[in-house]
Amino acid sequence: MRIATIWKPHSRLFAPVAVVAFFSFLVAVFFWKILFFPERYYIPYDLHDFHYSLAHEIFSELRQGHWPLWDPYNYSGLPLAGNLQAQLFYLPTLLFLKLSDWIFGAFPYRMLEYQLISHYLLAALGAFLLARSFNLSRSSAMLSGIIFTFGGFLASKTQHLGLINGAAWIPWMFFLARRYFVTNKLAYGVACGFSLAMVVLAGFPALIIAAFLYLGIVFLVILLYECFGGDLKTSVQCLVCSVIIISLAIGFSAVQIFPALEVNAYSSASQHHELVGLLGMARDGYMTLLIPGFLGVGTDHYWGGQDLTQSYQYLGVGSLFLSLICIFTVKRKDMLLVFGLTAFSLLWTLGEDFYVSTLIWRLVPSSIRGGVYPF
C-alpha cells in the first residue's frame, strides 16, 4: 500500500511523459539518417536551396544586432518583412536561430533541419490530443498521431519548411478550439488564436487559407446546428468564440500579414491566378490513396500529371480500412462533422471541377487568390 501511495501521484505525470517519449522515438527513427549521420545525409530541394538562405540572412543580421526588415540581394532590394516564406516573425525559427548562435556561433544547415524535424513531434502530439478530446482511448489516439505525422502528406512534403511548420499547428488549433467551445475558458481561445497565428507566421499561403477556411466551416456548422436546435445562448457563445479566436489570430500575426499584403499588391505574382485558374489534383493522384507507388517511386521514375509531392495522398491501406469501419459503426454527432469535412476535402481537391471550390475561390480577395491550391 505504501508503494502504491508513493507511486500514485507520479502516475499522472508518467502517462504524458511516456507519450512524448514514444513519439520522440518514432520521429528519431523516421529521421535517423539526418539526425545521426548529418555529414552524409541531408534534406534536399527547397529546404536547402531556398529556405536556408533566407534563414541564414536573418541569422546574420540578428547576430549583428539588426532586425532584418530588408533583403538587399534580390531585385536591388526587397522588404524581407513582406516575405511570408522568410519566417521573420515565426517564433520557433527565431528560437532555433538563437540556439544555433549560442551552441555553434554560426548557423549550420542541420539546425534548420532540426527546426523542421521538431515540428513532426509537435504534429504528433497535437494529433494525439485532438483524438483524445473526442474521448478516444490512449492507444487509438497514439495511432491517430502516427497516421497524421508519418502519412503521405507530411512524409512527402518534408522539403517545404513553411508547409510542415504550419501543418504541425493544425491539430493544436482544432484541439484548442474544441476545448474553448466545451469549457468556455478564455485561455483556450487565446491559445487557439495563437496556434492559428503560428500557421500564418509559418509562411505557406495555401495552408493559411485552408486553415481559416476549415476553421470557419467548423464554426459555421456548429453555429447553424445550435441555431436550428433552438439553443440561442450556445449559438451566441459559438459566435463570440469564433470572433475572439479569429481576431486574436489576426492580431498576433498582424506584424506579418499587413507587410505581406502590401508587398503582394506590387508583385506580378499576385496576378498569376488569372492565367492558371483554380487547379485541382490530377486524377491519377487519387490512386495513390491505395497504391503508394502507382505513379512511380522516386523522381526519376515518376510519370504522373503533376509534381509528385502534389499528387501523393497515401495514408496507409490500414488507415483507410479503419476509417471505413468508423463510418459504418460510430454513432456520434460530433463525428458527422469530421466525416463531412473529410468528404468536402476530397471534393475540394478537384479544384475548378467542384463548383463550391470555384465559388470560394471567386469570393476570396484577388490579392491572395493565387495562394489557393486545392491539391
Side-chain angles (χ1 to χ4, degrees), residues 290-317:
L290 297 173
I291 309 172
F294 179 77
L295 300 177
V297 179
T299 55
D300 294 336
H301 303 285
Y302 176 72
W303 55 270
Q306 290 180 341
D307 183 85
L308 174 63
T309 62
Q310 297 169 0
S311 301
Y312 190 65
Q313 306 300 315
Y314 187 68
L315 293 176
V317 173

Side-chain angles (χ1 to χ4, degrees), residues 27-288:
V27 171
V29 170
F30 191 77
F31 289 101
W32 69 274
K33 290 183 178 180
I34 305 298
L35 292 173
F36 301 113
F37 301 99
E39 69 284 352
R40 294 174 55 189
Y41 301 99
Y42 70 98
I43 300 174
Y45 309 127
D46 284 10
L47 186 69
H48 181 272
D49 300 337
F50 177 76
H51 292 288
Y52 179 66
S53 59
L54 290 170
H56 195 279
E57 172 63 18
I58 296 172
F59 171 81
S60 300
E61 291 294 314
L62 290 177
R63 198 158 188 250
Q64 297 176 36
H66 305 145
W67 191 259
L69 300 177
W70 185 260
D71 177 9
Y73 299 109
N74 292 304
Y75 301 106
S76 300
L78 285 172
L80 190 62
N83 186 348
L84 270 172
Q85 298 180 85
Q87 296 189 338
L88 180 58
F89 304 102
Y90 185 58
L91 297 183
T93 293
L94 295 176
L95 173 61
F96 272 84
L97 292 177
K98 191 62 179 178
L99 286 174
S100 184
D101 189 20
W102 285 342
I103 298 171
F104 300 105
F107 185 60
Y109 178 64
R110 64 178 177 270
M111 285 300 292
L112 189 61
E113 292 179 317
Y114 296 158
Q115 191 268 51
L116 179 82
I117 293 171
S118 68
H119 282 74
Y120 280 78
L121 176 60
L122 182 68
L125 296 175
F128 171 82
L129 290 174
L130 179 59
R132 288 287 283 170
S133 72
F134 283 96
N135 297 320
L136 270 66
S137 66
R138 185 173 285 107
S139 58
S140 297
M142 293 176 78
L143 179 60
S144 299
I146 292 172
I147 293 171
F148 176 71
T149 308
F150 305 107
F153 176 74
L154 291 180
S156 66
K157 294 173 172 58
T158 308
Q159 61 166 319
H160 300 302
L161 180 67
L163 179 58
I164 298 297
N165 288 172
W169 290 99
I170 295 295
W172 287 93
M173 178 186 74
F174 282 111
F175 164 70
L176 293 166
R178 181 175 172 82
R179 292 295 299 164
Y180 188 27
F181 283 124
V182 172
T183 65
N184 201 28
K185 292 182 178 180
L186 183 60
Y188 286 116
V190 173
C192 180
F194 176 80
S195 298
L196 183 54
M198 288 297 102
V199 176
V200 176
L201 297 176
F204 197 86
L207 186 67
I208 296 170
I209 295 171
F212 276 96
L213 171 65
Y214 278 83
L215 193 61
I217 291 174
V218 170
F219 290 158
L220 180 62
V221 169
I222 296 175
L223 180 62
L224 292 176
Y225 177 81
E226 298 298 341
C227 284
F228 286 115
D231 192 340
L232 182 60
K233 180 179 179 181
T234 306
S235 301
V236 173
Q237 177 185 335
C238 173
L239 182 61
V240 171
C241 290
S242 307
V243 172
I244 289 176
I245 289 173
I246 293 176
S247 299
L248 286 171
I250 294 175
F252 287 143
S253 58
V255 67
Q256 178 67 83
I257 291 177
F258 293 109
L261 289 175
E262 185 174 358
V263 169
N264 187 65
Y266 293 98
S267 172
S268 59
S270 63
Q271 304 303 317
H272 178 66
H273 65 275
E274 299 293 349
L275 301 175
V276 301
L278 183 65
L279 294 177
M281 190 175 69
R283 299 298 178 269
D284 47 24
Y286 290 98
M287 288 301 298
T288 62

